[in-house]
Structures are given as C-alpha cells and as structure tokens.
Amino acid sequence: MRHPEMPQGIFKPKPTAIETKQDATARAARQIIDGEAAVREQKTERLRLARLAVEAMNTNTPPVQKRPVRRKRV
C-alpha cells in the first residue's frame, strides 16, 4: 500500500553541518564571481563609450597613408 504524498513544506529536512558549510561557501563564491562580472561589464561599457567618442572625433581627418617601400635595384 502506497502512502499519499505529503505536501511540500510540512516536513523540511534539516541540512547537515557539511551541507550548510557547502551552501555558505557556494553562496560566497557566487557573490564574488557576480561582483567581478559586474565590475568587468562596467569597465567594458566605459571603454566602449570612450572608444566611440574617439572614433567620432577622428572621422574628419583622413587616414594617413604609408608611402610604398621602394626596393633597391641590384
């Protein structure tokens, strides 16, 4: 005879000490990784805007063309 399923949340299993330490470590690691990713995205956006501003200022000047290298006849 099968027992009817218990509704979720009535009996919550208590995590062991090892599980809680792992959860705390994983949570701290995720916070560090997410913080680094946010800083990296902000820096990328700032550099992108700076590059676009420089490119917008340099559109009026023609690019400098290099003179062709002439080889000596031997």
Side-chain angles (χ1 to χ4, degrees):
M1 176 180 231
R2 297 186 90 188
H3 297 287
E5 289 191 31
M6 298 294 276
Q8 293 292 330
I10 293 179
F11 298 106
K12 292 184 181 178
K14 293 182 179 179
T16 62
I18 293 173
E19 289 174 340
T20 53
K21 287 181 184 179
Q22 289 175 344
D23 291 338
T25 303
R27 190 172 30 259
R30 277 191 224 110
Q31 281 181 330
I32 292 169
I33 292 169
D34 291 343
E36 289 174 350
V39 169
R40 185 174 55 248
E41 289 172 5
Q42 288 174 350
K43 181 179 178 182
T44 302
E45 185 64 25
R46 181 178 50 86
L47 292 173
R48 180 182 296 123
L49 291 174
R51 178 179 49 81
L52 292 174
V54 168
E55 287 177 357
M57 290 175 24
N58 290 337
T59 56
N60 297 336
T61 59
V64 177
Q65 294 180 353
K66 292 183 179 180
R67 293 174 53 185
V69 177
R70 295 187 181 199
R71 296 182 184 216
K72 293 182 181 178
R73 291 186 181 179
V74 182

